[in-house]
Amino acid sequence: MAKRWLITGCSSGLGRALAARLAAEGEQVVATARRPETLDGLVAQHPGNVLAAALDVRDPAQCTAAVGRAVDAFGGVDVLVNNAAYGQFGTFEEVSDAELAAQFDTNVFGPWRLTRAVLPVWRTQRSGHAIFVSSVAGMVPFPGLAAYTASKFAVEGAAESLAAEAGHLGVKVTILQPGGFATGYSANLVMPEHRIADYTPVSDGLLGALRSMNTRVEVNSPELFADVVWRLGQLESPPLRLPVGADSETFLEAAYDARRSEYDQVVKAGHHTLA
């Protein structure tokens, strides 16, 4: 039986690839973008399976309207994919209050308000699956991506809380942790208004790597992401966390090992008794 999907950030990249894959599999998809005309080709390729909706996740009214469109068209929502996000570059000191607020408004508050809008539907259905597209940066800090990293840490905390709070209502939650993918992420990276030369030795290496990411042969394809999410949506008991891409597994395994080692050292040293 076809599932009903609501996906954010479908104008290009991961969201676009996912919407196309789901439609090809016969799923029902409400694909959203800030400029819905960018979805005209996708809708034309899959008439009846894909509907376009205008959605800026920073706009509460548009979040409510997008959920309403899915309910009106398909009778409900089975899977919500919170994919829309962008990267704010800059070290901790370089990122201004306004830049930090904008990063969180899209990457954290957006998924929160959209998921909150769909939860009444899921409480009525007694079923639903919230997928949050995080990043390896949700566990691994990258110098020069302080605001982006903080936003992904926050998304993962929110998603874990949702899983604990709404599981008894039939709501499933999965946090996706992609590695590097050939998308528009690097081209759309927002630079801080003010840069500080003292930080360039630790941040410019990452900036160069991000800007050249799409040219590397080992970078993951959006089609890989789409395949993983399609298969994830078919599982009766999906995992809470799922790495996407071989590089993601490498980063996350190292992060888990480092945290466990640090924890063991702190406990053995007795620092946990200082309080």
Side-chain angles (χ1 to χ4, degrees), residues 218-243:
E218 71 273 15
V219 72
N220 299 298
S221 72
E223 289 71 28
L224 168 66
F225 175 87
D227 182 62
V228 168
V229 179
W230 150 248
R231 290 187 286 113
L232 173 68
Q234 311 311 306
L235 299 178
E236 286 296 321
S237 300
L240 176 61
R241 276 190 168 81
L242 183 64

Side-chain angles (χ1 to χ4, degrees), residues 32 173 175 255 261:
T32 72
V173 177
I175 302 164
S261 176

Side-chain angles (χ1 to χ4, degrees), residues 114-135:
L114 184 58
T115 305
R116 187 173 57 208
V118 84
L119 278 167
V121 177
W122 288 348
R123 285 193 289 108
T124 299
Q125 294 176 176
R126 281 304 195 257
S127 67
H129 187 182
I131 298 176
F132 294 83
V133 181
S134 180
S135 165

